[in-house]
Amino acid sequence: MNSGVWEEVGCAKLWNEWCRTSDSVHGLSPTEAYCVFYRLKSNPAVFLCQCSCYVAEDQQYQWLEKVFGSCPKKNVQVTVLTCRHTTDYKSSEPAGSLPSPFLKALKTQNFKDPVCCSLLEQPNFVHDLPAAVLSYCQVWQLPAILYLCYTDVMKLDLLTVEAFKPVLSSRSLKGLAKNIPQSTETLKKLTAANEVQSNIYT
Amino acid sequence: MASRYDRAITVFSPDGHLFQVEYAQEAVKKGSTAVAIRGTNIVVLGVEKKSVAKLQDERTVRKICALDDHVCMAFAGLTADARVIINRAQVACQSHKLTVEDSVTVEYITRFIATLKQKYTQSNGRRPFGISALIVGFDDDGIPRLYQTDPSGTYHAWKANAIGRSAKTVREFLEKNYTEHAISDDNEAIKLAIRALLEAVQSGVKNIELAIIRRNQPLKMFSAKEIELQVIEIEKEKEEAEKKKSKKTV
C-alpha cells in the first residue's frame, strides 16, 4: 500500500475484547487504525478497505452503516477477499486430499459476472465481517462477491497469496491488475517479511 | 463431537478415527517439501530448505540426515520429533552392525522407525510423532530402495514420493513425469527430483538441498553450485522443448 498508487482516504478505529492494544489517550491516527480505506489515484472510483482487526458482531452493523451508508447504492460492486484455515472446510473428501490452498466463492443475487472458482458448498459458511458485508449487499441488492481462500498456514505466505491470482482475471478487477513480470519477486519480498522464523517445523 | 475423542489417543471415535494421528498428519504438512526418487542405479533426496534467521548457523538446520553409510532419510514435520527418531534410528543401525556384523537393510530400519511411531499411537499419555520420513538407500544386494513412513506408523515402498507442504502438487507432477527413461539415467533422475521440487518451492533454487546415493558409494550432498548447474540445464531443456512446440504449431 506504500507504493504510491493508493492514497489513504480514511480509517475506522474500534475496540473490543479481541483488540490487542487500546489507546484512549492519543487521537485517531492512521498508523494505529485498524480498518484503513484507500482510493486508487488513477481511478478514484475504486476504493479498498484493509481490515486487520476483528469486528465484533455487535459492531458490524454500525461499521457497515458508516462505510456503505453514505455511498450511492447504484453502480457499486463489492469484492471481498478473506482467508480461513482448511480444517474449517467441511466436505466428504478426506482432508488430506484437498489441494491446499484453494479458493471458494459466495455471491449475492445481483452479481451476474462469471465467478473464477467454484461456489462454497453447504454446510460451509462464511464468518465475521466478510459475512456481514455480503449480507448487507444482499439486503441492499448490491452485486457483491466474496472469495474465500482455504489455506493451511496461519500467516501470510506466497502460496496463499497466489491462490487469489484467478480473482485478478475477473471482470471487475481486470482493469486494475497490472501484468508486471517481477510481480512474483515483489510478492516474495512482501511475504518473506512475514515468514515465521520458528524452528518448530522443518 | 470430535473433541470428546481428541484428548486421549488410545480411544477410537465412534466412526473408527484416531484423531490425534490425523492431527499429527496436519503437523507434517507444516514442514517444507521433501521429495525422493528411486532410480535404477541411484536414489535421490531433494528438500526445500527453510529460510534461516540471520544469526542462525545454517549447518544446524538439516532436513536430510544419514542414518548409516548406505541409508539416509529426509523428514517433514516437527523438528524435535525428527531429532529423537533419527537418534534412535542411528543407534539401531550401529547396534545391528555390532550384533550381526551386517549393515541394516533399508526395510529393516524403516520398519524400526515405523514400529517406534506406532508404539506412540498406542501408549497412554503420549502423542504420536509429528513427522513423515522418506528413507532411501541401497541394500547389500545392490537394489535401490525408497520407503515412506507417516505418524500412524505405516510404511510403504515407493518409486517416487513427496511429503510436507505441497506434497500433493509434487506427487501429481511425479505421477506424470516418472518414466523408465527418466530414472534409467542418474542425471535424469536428479533433474526429475529438482523439477519436482521447483513445482513447490516458492523461494527458488537457493533454497533447495539435494542428496544422492549411488550403488556402493556413500551419501553425497550437492553443493549450491552443483544444484545451480543442474537447474541451468533444466531451464535450457525447457526452452528447447518450448521452441520445438512453437515450431510444430507454426
Coordinates of all heavy atoms in Angstrom, one line a residue, chain A residues 126-167:
Chain A
V126 N -19.6 -18.6 5.8 CA -18.6 -17.5 6.0 C -18.8 -16.9 7.3 O -20.0 -16.8 7.8 CB -18.7 -16.5 4.8 CG1 -17.7 -15.4 5.0 CG2 -18.6 -17.2 3.5
H127 N -17.8 -16.4 8.0 CA -17.9 -15.9 9.3 C -17.6 -14.4 9.3 O -17.1 -13.8 8.4 CB -16.9 -16.5 10.3 CG -17.0 -18.0 10.4 ND1 -16.6 -18.8 9.3 CD2 -17.5 -18.8 11.3 CE1 -16.8 -20.1 9.7 NE2 -17.4 -20.1 10.9
D128 N -17.9 -13.7 10.4 CA -17.5 -12.4 10.8 C -17.8 -11.3 9.8 O -18.8 -11.4 9.1 CB -15.9 -12.4 11.1 CG -15.6 -13.5 12.1 OD1 -16.4 -13.8 13.0 OD2 -14.5 -14.1 11.9
L129 N -16.9 -10.3 9.7 CA -17.1 -9.1 8.9 C -17.4 -9.4 7.4 O -18.3 -8.9 6.8 CB -16.0 -8.1 9.0 CG -16.2 -6.8 8.4 CD1 -17.4 -6.0 9.0 CD2 -15.0 -5.9 8.4
P130 N -16.6 -10.3 6.8 CA -16.9 -10.6 5.4 C -18.4 -11.1 5.2 O -19.0 -10.7 4.2 CB -15.9 -11.8 5.0 CG -14.8 -11.6 6.0 CD -15.4 -11.1 7.2
A131 N -18.9 -11.9 6.1 CA -20.3 -12.4 6.0 C -21.2 -11.2 6.2 O -22.2 -11.1 5.5 CB -20.5 -13.4 7.1
A132 N -20.9 -10.3 7.1 CA -21.8 -9.2 7.3 C -21.8 -8.3 6.1 O -22.9 -7.8 5.7 CB -21.2 -8.4 8.5
V133 N -20.7 -8.1 5.5 CA -20.6 -7.3 4.2 C -21.5 -7.9 3.1 O -22.3 -7.2 2.5 CB -19.2 -7.1 3.8 CG1 -19.1 -6.4 2.4 CG2 -18.4 -6.3 4.8
L134 N -21.3 -9.2 3.0 CA -22.1 -9.9 1.9 C -23.6 -9.8 2.2 O -24.4 -9.6 1.3 CB -21.6 -11.3 1.8 CG -21.7 -12.0 0.4 CD1 -20.9 -11.3 -0.6 CD2 -21.4 -13.4 0.5
S135 N -24.0 -10.0 3.5 CA -25.4 -10.0 3.8 C -25.9 -8.6 3.6 O -27.0 -8.4 3.1 CB -25.6 -10.3 5.3 OG -25.0 -11.5 5.6
Y136 N -25.2 -7.6 3.9 CA -25.6 -6.2 3.7 C -25.8 -5.9 2.2 O -26.8 -5.3 1.8 CB -24.5 -5.2 4.3 CG -24.9 -3.8 4.2 CD1 -25.5 -3.1 5.3 CD2 -24.7 -3.0 3.1 CE1 -25.9 -1.8 5.2 CE2 -25.0 -1.7 3.0 CZ -25.6 -1.1 4.1 OH -26.0 0.3 4.1
C137 N -24.9 -6.4 1.4 CA -25.0 -6.2 0.0 C -26.2 -7.0 -0.6 O -26.9 -6.5 -1.5 CB -23.8 -6.7 -0.8 SG -22.3 -5.7 -0.4
Q138 N -26.5 -8.1 0.0 CA -27.7 -8.9 -0.5 C -29.0 -8.2 -0.1 O -29.9 -8.1 -1.0 CB -27.7 -10.3 0.2 CG -28.9 -11.2 -0.1 CD -29.0 -11.6 -1.5 OE1 -28.2 -11.4 -2.4 NE2 -30.2 -12.2 -1.8
V139 N -29.0 -7.6 1.1 CA -30.2 -6.9 1.5 C -30.4 -5.6 0.6 O -31.6 -5.4 0.2 CB -30.1 -6.5 3.0 CG1 -31.1 -5.5 3.4 CG2 -30.2 -7.7 3.9
W140 N -29.4 -4.9 0.4 CA -29.5 -3.7 -0.4 C -29.3 -3.9 -1.9 O -29.2 -3.0 -2.7 CB -28.4 -2.7 0.0 CG -28.7 -2.1 1.3 CD1 -28.3 -2.4 2.5 CD2 -29.6 -0.9 1.5 NE1 -28.9 -1.6 3.5 CE2 -29.7 -0.7 2.9 CE3 -30.4 -0.1 0.7 CZ2 -30.5 0.3 3.4 CZ3 -31.2 0.9 1.2 CH2 -31.2 1.1 2.6
Q141 N -29.4 -5.2 -2.3 CA -29.3 -5.6 -3.7 C -28.1 -5.1 -4.5 O -28.2 -4.7 -5.6 CB -30.6 -5.2 -4.4 CG -31.8 -6.0 -3.8 CD -33.1 -5.4 -4.4 OE1 -33.2 -4.3 -4.8 NE2 -34.2 -6.2 -4.2
L142 N -27.0 -5.1 -3.8 CA -25.8 -4.7 -4.5 C -25.1 -5.9 -5.0 O -25.1 -6.9 -4.3 CB -24.8 -4.0 -3.5 CG -25.3 -2.8 -2.7 CD1 -24.3 -2.3 -1.7 CD2 -25.6 -1.6 -3.7
P143 N -24.5 -5.8 -6.2 CA -23.7 -7.0 -6.7 C -22.4 -7.1 -5.9 O -21.7 -6.2 -5.8 CB -23.4 -6.7 -8.2 CG -23.6 -5.2 -8.3 CD -24.5 -4.7 -7.2
A144 N -22.3 -8.3 -5.3 CA -21.1 -8.5 -4.4 C -20.6 -9.9 -4.5 O -21.4 -10.8 -4.7 CB -21.4 -8.1 -3.0
I145 N -19.3 -10.1 -4.4 CA -18.8 -11.4 -4.4 C -17.7 -11.5 -3.4 O -17.0 -10.6 -3.1 CB -18.2 -11.8 -5.8 CG1 -17.7 -13.3 -5.8 CG2 -17.1 -10.9 -6.3 CD1 -17.9 -14.0 -7.1
L146 N -17.7 -12.7 -2.7 CA -16.7 -12.9 -1.7 C -15.8 -14.1 -2.1 O -16.3 -15.2 -2.5 CB -17.4 -13.3 -0.4 CG -16.6 -13.5 0.9 CD1 -17.3 -13.0 2.1 CD2 -16.3 -15.0 1.0
Y147 N -14.5 -13.9 -2.1 CA -13.6 -15.0 -2.4 C -12.9 -15.5 -1.1 O -12.3 -14.7 -0.4 CB -12.5 -14.6 -3.4 CG -13.1 -14.4 -4.8 CD1 -13.4 -13.1 -5.3 CD2 -13.4 -15.5 -5.6 CE1 -13.9 -12.9 -6.6 CE2 -13.9 -15.3 -6.9 CZ -14.2 -14.0 -7.4 OH -14.7 -13.9 -8.6
L148 N -13.1 -16.7 -0.8 CA -12.6 -17.3 0.5 C -11.5 -18.3 0.1 O -11.7 -19.2 -0.6 CB -13.8 -17.9 1.2 CG -13.5 -18.8 2.4 CD1 -12.8 -18.0 3.5 CD2 -14.8 -19.2 3.0
C149 N -10.3 -18.0 0.7 CA -9.2 -18.9 0.4 C -9.0 -19.8 1.6 O -8.7 -19.3 2.7 CB -7.9 -18.1 0.1 SG -6.5 -19.1 -0.2
Y150 N -9.1 -21.1 1.4 CA -8.8 -22.0 2.5 C -7.4 -22.4 2.4 O -6.9 -22.9 1.4 CB -9.7 -23.3 2.4 CG -11.1 -23.1 2.8 CD1 -12.1 -22.9 1.9 CD2 -11.4 -23.1 4.2 CE1 -13.4 -22.7 2.4 CE2 -12.7 -22.9 4.6 CZ -13.7 -22.7 3.7 OH -15.0 -22.5 4.1
T151 N -6.6 -22.1 3.5 CA -5.2 -22.3 3.4 C -4.8 -23.1 4.7 O -5.5 -23.1 5.7 CB -4.4 -21.0 3.3 OG1 -3.0 -21.3 3.3 CG2 -4.8 -20.1 4.4
D152 N -3.6 -23.7 4.7 CA -3.2 -24.4 5.9 C -2.1 -23.8 6.7 O -1.4 -24.4 7.4 CB -2.8 -25.9 5.5 CG -1.8 -25.9 4.3 OD1 -1.3 -24.8 3.9 OD2 -1.6 -27.0 3.8
V153 N -1.9 -22.5 6.4 CA -0.9 -21.7 7.3 C -1.6 -20.6 8.0 O -2.6 -20.1 7.5 CB 0.3 -21.1 6.4 CG1 1.2 -22.2 6.0 CG2 -0.2 -20.4 5.3
M154 N -1.1 -20.2 9.1 CA -1.8 -19.2 9.9 C -1.2 -17.8 9.5 O -1.8 -16.8 9.9 CB -1.6 -19.4 11.4 CG -2.1 -20.8 11.9 SD -3.7 -21.2 11.4 CE -4.7 -20.0 12.4
K155 N -0.1 -17.8 8.9 CA 0.5 -16.4 8.5 C 0.5 -16.3 7.0 O 0.4 -17.3 6.3 CB 1.9 -16.3 9.0 CG 2.1 -16.4 10.5 CD 2.6 -15.1 11.0 CE 2.6 -15.1 12.5 NZ 3.0 -13.8 13.1
L156 N 0.5 -15.1 6.5 CA 0.5 -14.8 5.1 C 1.8 -15.5 4.4 O 2.9 -15.3 4.9 CB 0.6 -13.3 4.9 CG 0.5 -12.8 3.4 CD1 -0.8 -13.0 2.9 CD2 0.9 -11.4 3.3
D157 N 1.5 -16.2 3.4 CA 2.7 -16.8 2.6 C 2.4 -16.7 1.1 O 1.3 -16.5 0.7 CB 3.0 -18.2 3.1 CG 2.1 -19.2 2.5 OD1 0.9 -18.9 2.2 OD2 2.6 -20.3 2.2
L158 N 3.4 -17.0 0.4 CA 3.3 -16.8 -1.1 C 2.2 -17.6 -1.7 O 1.5 -17.2 -2.6 CB 4.7 -17.0 -1.7 CG 4.9 -16.6 -3.1 CD1 4.7 -15.1 -3.3 CD2 6.3 -17.0 -3.6
L159 N 2.2 -18.9 -1.3 CA 1.2 -19.8 -1.9 C -0.2 -19.3 -1.7 O -1.0 -19.4 -2.6 CB 1.3 -21.2 -1.3 CG 2.4 -22.2 -1.9 CD1 2.4 -23.5 -1.1 CD2 2.0 -22.5 -3.3
T160 N -0.5 -18.8 -0.5 CA -1.9 -18.4 -0.2 C -2.2 -17.1 -1.1 O -3.3 -17.0 -1.7 CB -2.0 -18.0 1.3 OG1 -1.5 -19.1 2.0 CG2 -3.4 -17.7 1.6
V161 N -1.2 -16.2 -1.2 CA -1.5 -15.0 -2.0 C -1.7 -15.4 -3.4 O -2.6 -14.9 -4.1 CB -0.3 -14.0 -1.8 CG1 -0.5 -12.9 -2.8 CG2 -0.2 -13.5 -0.4
E162 N -0.9 -16.3 -3.9 CA -1.0 -16.7 -5.3 C -2.3 -17.4 -5.6 O -2.8 -17.5 -6.8 CB 0.2 -17.6 -5.7 CG 1.5 -16.8 -5.7 CD 2.5 -17.3 -6.7 OE1 2.6 -18.5 -7.0 OE2 3.2 -16.4 -7.3
A163 N -2.9 -18.0 -4.6 CA -4.2 -18.7 -4.8 C -5.3 -17.7 -5.2 O -6.3 -18.1 -5.8 CB -4.6 -19.4 -3.5
F164 N -5.1 -16.4 -4.9 CA -6.0 -15.4 -5.2 C -5.8 -14.9 -6.7 O -6.6 -14.1 -7.1 CB -5.9 -14.2 -4.3 CG -6.6 -14.4 -3.0 CD1 -5.9 -14.6 -1.8 CD2 -8.0 -14.3 -2.9 CE1 -6.5 -14.8 -0.6 CE2 -8.6 -14.5 -1.6 CZ -7.9 -14.7 -0.5
K165 N -4.8 -15.3 -7.3 CA -4.5 -14.8 -8.7 C -5.6 -14.9 -9.7 O -5.9 -13.9 -10.4 CB -3.2 -15.4 -9.2 CG -2.0 -14.6 -9.0 CD -0.8 -15.1 -9.8 CE 0.4 -14.2 -9.6 NZ 1.7 -14.7 -9.9
P166 N -6.4 -16.0 -9.7 CA -7.6 -16.0 -10.6 C -8.5 -14.9 -10.5 O -9.2 -14.5 -11.4 CB -8.2 -17.4 -10.3 CG -7.2 -18.2 -9.7 CD -6.3 -17.2 -9.0
V167 N -8.6 -14.3 -9.3 CA -9.5 -13.2 -9.0 C -9.2 -12.0 -9.8 O -10.0 -11.2 -10.3 CB -9.5 -12.8 -7.5 CG1 -10.4 -11.7 -7.2 CG2 -9.9 -14.0 -6.7

